[in-house]
């Protein structure tokens, strides 16, 4: 049994992570702003992670074996957490994102068709700028990927604990619990015969089921490795392949329209390549599913809501 603190953990795969850690017998503490309470038996601390004094006060003299940070989006948040949790934990896990590899924001050279490995974005070498307007929601939304990259960089350089970043693929599944509504976008449009906007050359991306991501985070929390690890299912799909799975489940013919270069398209239609490799996760012993094995069920879950 380990003492594990989950920062956030109030929705979607975060709540599932908390439940599974607790069911495994770990002593789990959740700290968030109080919008949602964890399951019975899980300790709940209320504090705003952006308020360093409040965070310290809520934690008191508690120490943990592992911290799993579900809601770190900026280097400023990472710097606060690094100061607060250094000396309180031996291991820190941050939920990161596939977007750190996006060549539109990272100026990375990714050969088409080559799955992107973790070393392409090395957090130990990434520039950190704490003086940017990270507190501005509009700025943060426009610089989501850079915020995640810089947060990883801050934790990597902290040195006060072992650090792992789980770079999650696009998360699907869970029916109405999938709050982004991206899969629902496709299900709804195919059912209603509405146009789906796609790029002329739509490139593949990778996905992960919400339950599998919770299990990856649980596995990472109790593992012994460090550094970034990609979390994605086998079987990259481009937008046409994704739509075909949806169409087969709802028994409708999709209507796709190609948009001009540079125009906005539907979610998961990409004109640039950054599909991740999960080779490191496999080398470390993680079981990896195949997207086509769970995606039809994820569509069915939405139809039942």
């Amino acid at each position: 049994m380990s003492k594990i603190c989950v920062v956030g953990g109030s929705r979607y795969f975060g709540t599932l992570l908390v439940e599974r850690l607790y069911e495994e017998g770990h002593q789990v503490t959740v700290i968030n702003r109080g919008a949602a309470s964890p399951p019975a038996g899980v300790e709940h601390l209320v504090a705003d992670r952006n308020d360093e004094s409040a965070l310290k006060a809520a934690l008191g003299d508690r120490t943990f074996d592992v911290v799993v940070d579900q809601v770190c989006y900026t280097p400023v948040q990472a710097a606060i957490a690094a100061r607060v949790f250094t000396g309180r934990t031996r291991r820190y896990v941050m939920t990161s994102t596939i977007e750190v590899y996006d060549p539109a924001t990272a100026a990375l050279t990714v050969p088409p068709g080559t799955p992107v490995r973790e070393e392409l974005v090395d957090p130990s070498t990434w520039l950190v700028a704490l003086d940017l307007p990270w507190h501005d929601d509009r700025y943060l939304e426009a610089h989501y990927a850079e915020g995640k990259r810089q947060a990883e960089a801050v934790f990597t350089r902290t040195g006060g604990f072992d650090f792992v970043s789980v770079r999650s693929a696009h998360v699907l599944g869970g029916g109405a619990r999938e709050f982004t509504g991206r899969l629902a976008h496709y299900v709804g449009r195919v059912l209603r015969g509405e146009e789906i906007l796609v790029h002329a050359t739509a490139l593949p991306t990778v996905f992960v089921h919400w339950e599998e991501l919770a299990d990856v985070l649980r596995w990472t929390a109790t593992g012994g490795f460090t550094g970034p690890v990609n979390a994605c299912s086998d079987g990259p799909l481009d937008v046409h392949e994704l739509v075909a799975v949806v169409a087969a489940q709802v028994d409708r013919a999709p209507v796709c329209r190609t948009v001009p270069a540079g125009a906005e398209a539907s979610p998961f239609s990409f004109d640039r390549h950054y599909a991740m490799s999960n080779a490191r996760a496999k080398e470390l012993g993680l079981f990896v599913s195949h997207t086509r094995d769970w995606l039809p069920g994820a569509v069915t879950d939405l139809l039942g809501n």
Side-chain angles (χ1 to χ4, degrees), residues 82-243:
R83 290 191 295 267
V84 170
F85 285 101
T86 292
R88 292 181 185 269
T89 187
R90 61 175 178 81
R91 185 171 179 81
Y92 202 102
V93 177
M94 172 189 156
T95 304
S96 191
T97 173
I98 186 177
E99 301 303 330
V100 301
Y101 300 116
D102 186 354
T105 63
L108 305 177
T109 302
V110 187
T114 303
V116 181
R117 290 189 63 111
E118 290 85 351
E119 56 265 26
L120 191 63
V121 172
D122 181 354
S124 69
T125 64
W126 208 263
L127 178 68
V128 172
L130 296 173
D131 57 347
L132 294 173
W134 296 113
H135 61 281
D136 185 320
D137 289 343
R138 289 176 297 178
Y139 181 87
L140 180 56
E141 182 178 1
H143 297 83
Y144 170 73
E146 182 62 16
K148 286 287 192 179
R149 285 188 288 260
Q150 291 195 26
E152 286 191 37
V154 169
F155 284 128
T156 299
R157 297 168 194 173
T158 294
F161 38 67
D162 291 339
F163 175 63
V164 186
S165 57
V166 176
R167 294 172 175 170
S168 169
H170 306 291
V171 190
L172 297 178
R177 286 168 291 194
E178 196 251 296
F179 64 93
T180 66
R182 292 176 294 185
L183 185 56
H185 167 92
Y186 287 102
V187 173
R189 284 185 172 269
V190 173
L191 278 172
R192 295 188 296 269
E194 297 173 354
E195 288 184 336
I196 295 166
L197 306 181
V198 300
H199 292 99
T201 302
L203 297 174
T205 189
V206 286
F207 302 90
V208 64
H209 190 265
W210 73 298
E211 292 185 7
E212 187 166 5
L213 181 55
D215 283 337
V216 173
L217 290 164
R218 179 177 55 82
W219 167 77
T220 304
T222 56
F225 57 91
T226 59
V229 61
N230 295 335
C232 62
S233 298
D234 283 334
L237 300 176
D238 64 30
V239 66
H240 297 287
E241 293 168 319
L242 174 66
V243 170

Side-chain angles (χ1 to χ4, degrees), residues 16 18 71 142 157 200 204 301:
L16 190 58
V18 171
V71 288
R157 297 168 194 173
D301 288 344

